[in-house]
Amino acid sequence: MRPYAKDLLKKLSKHFEIIVFTAGNKCYADPILDHIDPTGVISHRLYRESCTFVGNQIFVKDLRILGRKLENVVLIDNAPHSYMMQLSNGIPILNYFKGKDDNQLYHL
């Protein structure tokens, strides 16, 4: 698990609605999300089938599907193409390759 993941979810959930939007399949993502979020602060989960498949190459997360005002939505993602439909809503984060020295979520 990425360092500070549980802490970040706990802190953000006090002020914001937490929705996970992953390009992963439900069968892959759910066990991971259940482990990261055992107390249920994640209010909604969206998976690969909710993504837009662009150019038969990439999965893009069109944030309009959330039904929220876009000025109130951010997407933290390691793949900039994921938020290409709403660039101003994207917050890039580096890939995570295991390691206690990763502090991306702490600085976020």
Side-chain angles (χ1 to χ4, degrees):
M1 181 181 324
R2 190 173 208 153
Y4 306 103
K6 285 186 179 185
D7 293 334
L8 182 69
L9 284 174
K10 184 178 177 182
K11 288 178 183 178
L12 290 179
S13 68
K14 293 178 183 177
H15 307 283
F16 305 101
E17 177 184 25
I18 308 293
I19 300 172
V20 170
F21 194 167
T22 178
N25 291 310
K26 180 177 174 45
C27 62
Y28 169 80
D30 273 344
I32 295 168
L33 294 173
D34 291 343
H35 179 71
I36 292 171
D37 181 31
T39 60
V41 298
I42 297 171
S43 61
H44 300 285
R45 299 175 180 189
L46 289 92
Y47 308 95
R48 178 171 288 188
E49 62 268 10
S50 296
C51 293
T52 302
F53 195 48
V54 176
N56 290 326
Q57 293 182 334
I58 57 174
F59 291 97
V60 177
K61 300 166 186 172
D62 185 351
L63 300 176
R64 294 175 294 183
I65 195 171
L66 300 175
R68 310 303 192 271
K69 292 182 180 182
L70 288 179
E71 61 264 21
N72 297 328
V73 175
V74 296
L75 176 65
I76 302 163
D77 207 299
N78 65 322
H81 68 267
S82 292
Y83 48 86
M84 66 187 277
M85 291 184 173
Q86 292 90 20
L87 289 175
S88 61
N89 298 83
I91 298 175
I93 193 164
L94 296 176
N95 290 330
Y96 175 60
F97 298 107
K98 294 187 181 178
K100 296 176 184 176
D101 295 333
D102 182 281
N103 57 11
Q104 289 288 300
L105 294 179
Y106 176 80
H107 289 292
L108 180 67

